[in-house]
């Protein structure tokens, strides 16, 4: 690691949120560009830097600083240069010269210890001297906090957030209970707080430590889909986290129950929020479970009129589904691809429209809502937009909320939700709060798809409860001579090995057993072969992979390669480097967290705003249309023609989407998909991942990789069990009625 010393000549770029700066730095030997995180550092300040020289592909040689130390200028000229730089508001070149002339080498001490003496300078009042002193003290306070936190391995970005949360109280809080960091600050988990605590010699069996480990384990379980953890398993997880044996968690659990942090029911331990969400969801569903009496003959005549109008003929199960939807307050329609779910939904909609009822259509993601619109010919929205979401981003401490709720319900008679397998308990709970009794709720989904990314197992739990009518369509209308995608999807789902001879028009397997061969074949398919074959631009051809981070064929690694091959650097394309990623005009990107407060706009062909609103959501995909280095913004146009301007500091909300994980593709449909399968991580070699990936394709599937991996995934019917209890609550409430 190289150490250099000098002063900040000027700041080229700075991010006010995290302290990242690009600076022109003067040493005794050279002037060099320095990059790194330098909160509370201004032009003119003297620094000692530790880091290394790097060669940037665009900007050339620069110095990447890992840590820094602010030192005092070594001579009068340096002191004057610092004060004249504007680092301290109220002191310019003229006052800098006067101050240094008056106090000479003692200037910096005067500023820190006797700032009132600045009033000795003509033109500086006592009031102005106090303001200058406040600035100096605030900067010194922040630097001291950062130095204090640096001892515990906390970097500059996180230190800024901690200081923003606690201010000067940070010392007391960390010394008394560093585990508060995990509770109060998003992005700090138990492990970070624990590493701080252990460096402070907090006892391994500290109550604070065990309590924090319990809450962390439950929160971590929620990120894996669980709404509760069995008590014995929770004890094992906690012991693994803290590295010591725990005789019993009973006393700690009781204290957390008293504090209303958790709920314990029999052997199940819940975070309070998930317990009450599942319980209240069950209650609200049952409140919607009304019966609408309609004579069978009248119903048959109405369905016949719809069939004649649409020039269709429903089979028996489809008719049953329509009748159930008409007569029930809550019902579920399930079935795999090609089973006529869309035709059935359209028939329901036609009937309700003839009855003069208002119908709302929605889906969990923008792409799923767009598919629903195209399939039904009626406008569909995301559930978030239907509920008129407001609030903050996932990474903020502020809580998002929905304008539509129990006090301001949805103004409609029927709500139809598609892709219900993607809906987690939190979103479903908020949806039900906005639906009044008397409104029909129709849920549509494929139970063989992957479950929701968020906690809960909503669709499967509702079906398992056996409380509401469920119609499962099982007749495939898209026959094998029309679609091997559909045929093979069902074979995969049933564990059947198909013949991979490529005698198909829409399902191909290209065996490649080296990473480089998989990548080269994938690029050739996206760029050259598939766009013509499916009559779609290469931007609409989607690469899918099981893994996000693990392996050379993870979505992260694939995106690095695909970006350079599909959207290479060009003098006509502006770029911005954010961390280890480069965002370039023309890049395909995806929003990876919900941001309820960011503004979107729709522009006319003359660049006039014709519509605007709030909110971009996890899974929304688009293209970078503009990188503006002056305003430090990046514009993305999403699939539904909404354009969003991101500040450079917000780019942690975006990732490249040339390749996405199968989980992220849920609810989407693409003209063609390429699925890469080679050395897939063992936990991801499961049947429903493959089934979900194949069913994302509309016209063509190409699997590139190992046949051995492909067949192993088909053989592995294991689905990771989720701990959820919506079905238990539903059964229990019905039993007590």
């Amino acid at each position: 690691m190289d150490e250099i010393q000098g002063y900040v000549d000027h700041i080229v770029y700075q991010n006010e949120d995290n302290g990242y700066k690009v600076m022109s730095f003067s040493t005794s030997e050279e002037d060099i560009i320095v990059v790194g995180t330098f909160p509370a550092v201004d032009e003119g300040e003297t620094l000692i830097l530790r880091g290394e020289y790097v060669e940037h592909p665009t900007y050339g040689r620069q110095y990447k600083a890992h840590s820094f130390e602010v030192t005092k200028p070594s001579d009068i000229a340096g002191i004057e240069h610092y004060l004249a730089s504007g680092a301290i508001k109220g002191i310019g070149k003229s006052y800098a010269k006067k101050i240094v002339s008056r106090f000479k080498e003692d200037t910096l001490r005067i500023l820190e210890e006797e700032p009132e003496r600045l009033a000795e300078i003509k033109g500086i009042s006592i009031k102005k001297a106090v303001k200058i002193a406040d600035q100096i003290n605030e900067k010194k306070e922040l630097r001291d906090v950062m130095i204090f936190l640096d001892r515990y391995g906390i970097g500059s970005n996180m230190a800024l957030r901690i200081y923003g949360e606690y201010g000067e109280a940070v010392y007391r809080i960390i010394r008394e209970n560093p585990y508060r960091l995990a509770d109060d600050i998003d992005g700090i988990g138990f492990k970070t707080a624990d590493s701080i605590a252990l460096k402070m010699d907090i006892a391994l069996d500290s109550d604070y430590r065990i309590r924090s480990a319990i809450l962390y384990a439950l929160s971590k379980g929620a990120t894996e889909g669980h709404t509760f953890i069995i008590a014995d398993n929770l004890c094992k997880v906690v012991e693994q986290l803290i590295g010591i044996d725990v005789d019993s968690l009973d006393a700690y659990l009781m204290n957390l129950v008293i504090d209303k942090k958790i709920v314990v029911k029999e052997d199940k331990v819940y975070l309070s929020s998930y317990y009450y969400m599942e319980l209240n969801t069950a209650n609200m569903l049952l409140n919607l479970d009304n019966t609408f009496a309609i004579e069978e003959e009248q119903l048959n005549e109405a369905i016949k009129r719809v069939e004649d109008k649409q020039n269709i003929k429903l089979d028996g199960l489809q008719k049953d589904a329509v009748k159930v939807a008409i007569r029930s307050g809550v019902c579920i329609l399930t079935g795999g691809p090609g089973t006529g779910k869309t035709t059935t939904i359209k028939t329901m909609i036609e009937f309700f429209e003839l009855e003069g009822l208002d119908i709302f259509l929605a889906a969990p993601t923008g792409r799923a809502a767009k598919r629903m619109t195209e399939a039904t010919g009626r406008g569909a929205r995301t559930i978030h937009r239907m509920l008129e979401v407001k609030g903050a981003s996932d990474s903020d401490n502020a809580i998002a909320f929905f304008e539509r709720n129990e006090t301001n319900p949805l103004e409609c008679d029927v709500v139809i939700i598609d892709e219900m397998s993607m809906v987690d308990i939190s979103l479903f709970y908020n949806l039900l709060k906005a639906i009044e009794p008397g409104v029909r709720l129709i849920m549509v989904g494929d139970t063989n798809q992957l479950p929701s990314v968020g906690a809960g197992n909503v669709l499967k739990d509702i079906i398992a409860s056996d409380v509401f009518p469920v119609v499962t369509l099982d007749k495939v209308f898209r026959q094998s001579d029309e679609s091997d995608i559909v045929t093979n999807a069902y074979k995969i789902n049933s564990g059947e090995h198909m013949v991979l001879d490529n005698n198909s028009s829409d399902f191909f397997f290209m065996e490649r057993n080296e990473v480089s061969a998989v990548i080269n074949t994938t690029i050739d398919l996206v760029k050259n072969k598939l766009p013509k074959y499916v009559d779609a631009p290469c931007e609409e051809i989607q690469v899918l992979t099981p893994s996000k981070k693990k392996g050379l064929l993870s979505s992260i690694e694939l995106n690095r390669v695909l970006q350079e091959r599909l959207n290479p650097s060009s003098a006509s394309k502006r770029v911005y480097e954010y961390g280890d990623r480069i965002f370039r005009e023309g890049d395909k990107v995806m929003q990876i967290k919900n941001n309820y407060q960011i503004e979107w706009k729709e522009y006319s062909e003359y660049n006039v705003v014709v519509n605007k609103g709030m909110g971009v959501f996890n899974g929304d995909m688009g293209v970078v249309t503009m990188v503006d280095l002056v305003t430090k913004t990046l514009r993305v146009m999403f699939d539904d023609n909404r354009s969003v301007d991101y500040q450079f500091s917000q780019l942690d909300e975006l990732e490249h989407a040339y390749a996405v994980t199968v989980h992220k593709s849920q609810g989407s449909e693409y003209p063609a998909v390429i699925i890469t399968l080679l050395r897939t991580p063992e936990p991801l070699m499961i049947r429903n991942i493959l089934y979900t990936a194949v069913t994302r394709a509309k016209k063509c599937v190409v699997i590139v990789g190992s046949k051995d991996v492909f067949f192993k995934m088909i053989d592995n019917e294991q689905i990771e069990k989720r701990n959820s209890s919506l079905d238990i609550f539903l059964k229990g409430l019905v039993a007590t009625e």
Side-chain angles (χ1 to χ4, degrees):
M1 189 171 289
D2 299 309
E3 181 176 291
I4 61 175
Q5 182 169 355
Y7 68 89
V8 180
D9 185 63
H10 68 277
I11 295 173
V12 179
Y13 165 77
Q14 63 180 329
N15 183 325
E16 300 289 352
D17 294 330
N18 60 20
Y20 179 84
K21 290 181 173 67
V22 179
M23 309 184 301
S24 176
F25 193 73
S26 293
T27 71
S28 59
E29 298 177 355
E30 63 176 339
D31 292 342
I32 189 167
I33 293 295
V34 169
V35 298
T37 302
F38 301 96
V41 166
D42 292 299
E43 292 179 351
E45 295 204 76
T46 302
L47 309 177
I48 297 175
L49 308 179
R50 297 171 188 87
E52 70 264 347
Y53 292 94
V54 296
E55 192 69 30
H56 190 280
T58 304
Y59 304 112
R61 183 172 178 265
Q62 55 187 221
Y63 183 89
K64 188 173 184 178
H66 299 301
S67 64
F68 73 95
E69 179 184 336
V70 178
T71 63
K72 294 180 180 179
S74 56
D75 53 29
I76 291 177
I79 295 171
E80 184 175 337
H81 179 85
Y82 167 60
L83 296 179
S85 69
I88 302 172
K89 291 179 182 178
I91 300 179
K93 290 182 180 179
S94 175
Y95 279 126
K97 191 172 189 66
K98 291 177 182 178
I99 291 169
V100 172
S101 176
R102 172 79 175 180
F103 300 118
K104 298 188 171 49
E105 289 89 349
D106 207 26
T107 297
L108 295 178
R109 188 195 65 79
I110 294 292
L111 287 171
E112 291 181 6
E113 298 176 11
E114 301 178 76
E116 69 279 358
R117 289 190 59 191
L118 291 176
E120 297 175 17
I121 307 297
K122 187 176 180 180
I124 298 181
S125 64
I126 287 290
K127 185 177 179 181
K128 187 172 185 176
V130 169
K131 284 185 178 180
I132 291 170
D134 287 343
Q135 286 185 67
I136 293 169
N137 289 334
E138 186 177 338
K139 289 183 180 183
K140 186 175 185 302
E141 183 181 302
L142 175 55
R143 287 173 184 156
D144 290 345
V145 167
M146 293 187 68
I147 292 168
F148 171 72
L149 294 176
D150 184 63
R151 300 177 202 160
Y152 304 110
I154 296 177
S156 301
N157 290 356
M158 192 58 70
L160 272 174
R161 294 175 64 185
I162 293 171
Y163 178 72
E165 178 74 20
Y166 300 132
E168 283 188 283
V170 65
Y171 302 103
R172 175 183 57 78
I173 288 167
I174 287 184
R175 288 187 178 113
E176 288 178 0
N177 177 17
Y179 296 100
R180 269 192 61 180
L181 295 174
D183 290 337
D184 297 342
I185 299 173
D186 186 60
I188 293 186
F190 169 79
K191 292 182 179 179
T192 300
D194 196 44
S195 67
I196 296 170
L198 295 179
K199 288 175 182 175
M200 299 180 68
D201 294 327
I202 285 181
L204 295 178
D205 60 352
S206 158
D207 287 355
Y208 287 137
R209 188 170 189 242
I210 295 173
R211 173 191 169 103
S212 182
I214 291 169
L215 294 175
Y216 173 77
L218 292 171
S219 297
K220 185 75 163 51
T223 66
E224 296 167 357
H226 306 298
T227 58
F228 68 83
I229 298 179
I230 299 297
D232 287 345
N233 293 337
L234 179 61
C235 188
K236 292 175 184 175
V237 173
V238 168
E239 286 180 339
Q240 288 175 351
L241 282 170
I242 64 178
I244 60 172
D245 293 336
V246 179
D247 292 335
S248 172
L249 292 180
D250 291 349
Y252 305 103
L253 295 178
M254 184 58 66
N255 286 332
L256 287 167
V257 168
I258 292 170
D259 289 344
K260 298 182 179 180
K261 296 281 189 181
I262 67 170
V263 173
V264 180
K265 290 293 178 182
E266 298 173 346
D267 61 344
K268 302 178 184 69
V269 184
Y270 302 77
L271 286 173
S272 293
S273 57
Y274 287 108
Y275 175 83
Y276 289 109
M277 271 195 283
E278 288 196 314
L279 177 60
N280 292 330
T281 292
N283 270 307
M284 289 187 289
L285 271 176
L286 291 172
N287 288 337
L288 294 177
D289 190 24
N290 298 311
T291 300
F292 299 86
I294 301 177
E295 293 291 335
E296 183 73 13
E297 185 176 345
Q298 179 186 350
L299 199 49
N300 287 330
E301 289 175 359
I303 293 173
K304 181 67 167 63
R305 286 197 301 272
V306 173
E307 286 180 315
D308 292 342
K309 182 180 178 182
Q310 292 187 330
N311 193 27
I312 60 170
K313 184 69 176 174
L314 302 180
D315 75 352
L317 277 174
Q318 289 176 309
K319 284 183 181 178
D320 288 344
V322 174
K323 291 177 181 179
V324 164
I326 292 168
R327 287 172 165 156
S328 306
V330 177
C331 72
I332 300 98
L333 174 64
T334 71
T339 54
K341 293 194 298 295
T342 298
T343 301
T344 306
I345 295 169
K346 288 172 70 175
T347 305
M348 294 174 186
I349 293 170
E350 285 280 358
F351 174 88
F352 292 133
E353 286 179 343
L354 288 172
E355 293 294 308
L357 302 182
D358 292 325
I359 309 154
F360 283 180
L361 308 180
T365 66
R367 293 185 74 94
K370 184 179 179 182
R371 281 180 62 197
M372 198 178 188
T373 298
E374 293 168 350
T376 63
R378 277 78 169 178
R381 295 169 286 177
T382 64
I383 298 172
H384 287 89
R385 288 205 175 86
M386 183 174 70
L387 297 179
E388 299 175 24
V389 68
K390 305 289 180 186
S393 70
D394 282 349
S395 59
D396 293 332
N397 290 327
I399 298 173
F401 66 94
F402 296 94
E403 295 278 6
R404 295 292 178 174
N405 50 43
E406 61 270 41
T407 61
N408 182 28
L410 295 168
E411 298 171 8
C412 64
D413 303 298
V414 182
V415 176
I416 303 177
I417 305 295
D418 199 9
E419 297 288 355
M420 266 299 299
S421 63
M422 297 178 64
V423 177
D424 62 30
I425 189 63
S426 177
L427 183 57
F428 193 57
Y429 166 73
N430 282 290
L431 171 65
L432 293 182
K433 285 203 298 181
I435 301 178
E436 288 186 301
V439 175
R440 292 174 174 89
L441 173 62
I442 301 165
M443 295 171 278
V444 184
D446 182 350
T447 55
N448 294 309
Q449 300 277 3
L450 291 168
S452 61
V453 174
N457 212 4
V458 174
L459 181 61
K460 286 189 176 180
D461 277 359
I462 294 173
I463 294 172
S465 72
D466 203 24
V467 171
F468 307 102
V470 179
V471 179
T472 302
L473 303 180
D474 56 12
K475 180 180 178 181
V476 180
F477 291 93
R478 282 188 273 170
Q479 297 298 327
S480 59
D481 59 338
E482 296 177 16
S483 174
D484 284 323
I485 295 174
V486 174
T487 300
N488 288 336
Y490 280 98
K491 287 181 178 180
I492 289 167
N493 195 46
S494 62
E496 181 181 344
H497 286 211
M498 69 286 297
V499 177
L500 299 175
D501 56 9
N502 288 336
N503 290 326
S504 169
S505 62
D506 64 2
F507 193 98
F508 304 96
F509 195 102
M510 305 185 74
E511 187 162 18
R512 303 289 187 272
N513 293 302
E514 297 294 332
V515 170
S516 59
V518 171
I519 291 173
N520 289 334
T521 300
T522 298
I523 291 168
D524 185 42
L525 287 166
V526 175
K527 283 184 70 174
N528 305 317
K529 292 188 167 61
L530 286 179
K532 295 176 184 176
Y533 191 73
V534 299
D535 190 26
C538 68
E539 293 81 14
E540 294 184 19
I541 311 299
Q542 188 60 57
V543 179
L544 302 180
T545 181
S547 174
K548 179 177 181 177
K549 296 180 179 179
K550 294 183 178 179
L552 295 175
L553 293 178
S554 66
S555 62
I556 289 176
E557 294 299 329
L558 279 172
N559 274 313
R560 287 185 182 134
V561 177
L562 292 172
Q563 181 194 29
E564 287 307 313
R565 298 289 292 275
L566 300 177
N567 188 32
S569 59
S570 164
S572 64
K573 296 175 185 176
R574 288 168 293 187
V575 303
Y576 178 72
E577 185 175 0
Y578 183 83
D580 60 353
R581 292 175 293 161
I582 294 175
F583 287 96
R584 182 177 294 131
E585 290 174 341
D587 274 342
K588 187 175 178 180
V589 294
M590 174 185 281
Q591 177 82 10
I592 59 169
K593 60 178 72 171
N594 292 329
N595 188 331
Y596 308 105
Q597 63 182 4
I598 197 168
E599 185 179 50
W600 56 262
K601 297 176 182 177
E602 287 185 42
Y603 293 90
S604 70
E605 59 181 314
Y606 304 107
N607 205 34
V608 175
V609 176
V610 294
N611 193 14
K612 61 183 178 180
M614 304 295 286
V616 183
F617 306 111
N618 190 352
D620 287 353
M621 293 178 69
V623 175
V624 177
T625 57
M626 180 188 72
V627 175
D628 192 327
L629 299 174
V630 176
T631 62
K632 300 180 177 62
T633 57
L634 178 148
R635 179 171 295 173
V636 176
M637 178 181 282
F638 288 97
D639 288 336
D640 49 6
N641 295 321
R642 291 173 300 124
S643 287
V644 175
D645 289 345
Y646 292 83
Q647 298 297 316
F648 285 166
S649 60
Q650 295 175 295
L651 294 184
D652 60 335
E653 297 186 14
L654 292 174
E655 64 183 26
H656 293 96
Y658 298 98
V660 301
T661 63
V662 179
H663 280 86
K664 284 288 189 183
S665 74
Q666 282 182 271
S668 299
E669 187 175 65
Y670 311 96
V673 299
I674 302 163
I675 306 167
T676 61
L677 296 178
L678 186 67
R679 302 171 199 162
T680 302
E682 200 69 31
L684 299 175
M685 288 184 63
I686 53 179
R687 183 184 298 171
N688 65 343
I689 283 184
L690 188 57
Y691 173 81
T692 301
V694 167
T695 54
R696 298 308 90 206
K698 189 173 184 179
K699 296 181 179 179
C700 183
V701 169
V702 184
I703 300 170
V704 184
S706 163
K707 286 184 179 179
D708 184 52
V709 171
F710 177 73
F711 289 125
K712 279 183 178 178
M713 291 180 78
I714 292 177
D715 292 339
N716 186 6
E717 63 180 335
Q718 180 180 356
I719 297 175
E720 188 175 350
K721 186 181 183 308
R722 286 195 168 194
N723 292 331
S724 60
S725 47
L726 179 57
D727 57 335
I728 297 170
F729 288 128
L730 284 167
K731 290 176 182 176
L733 290 169
V734 169
T736 57
E737 288 182 349

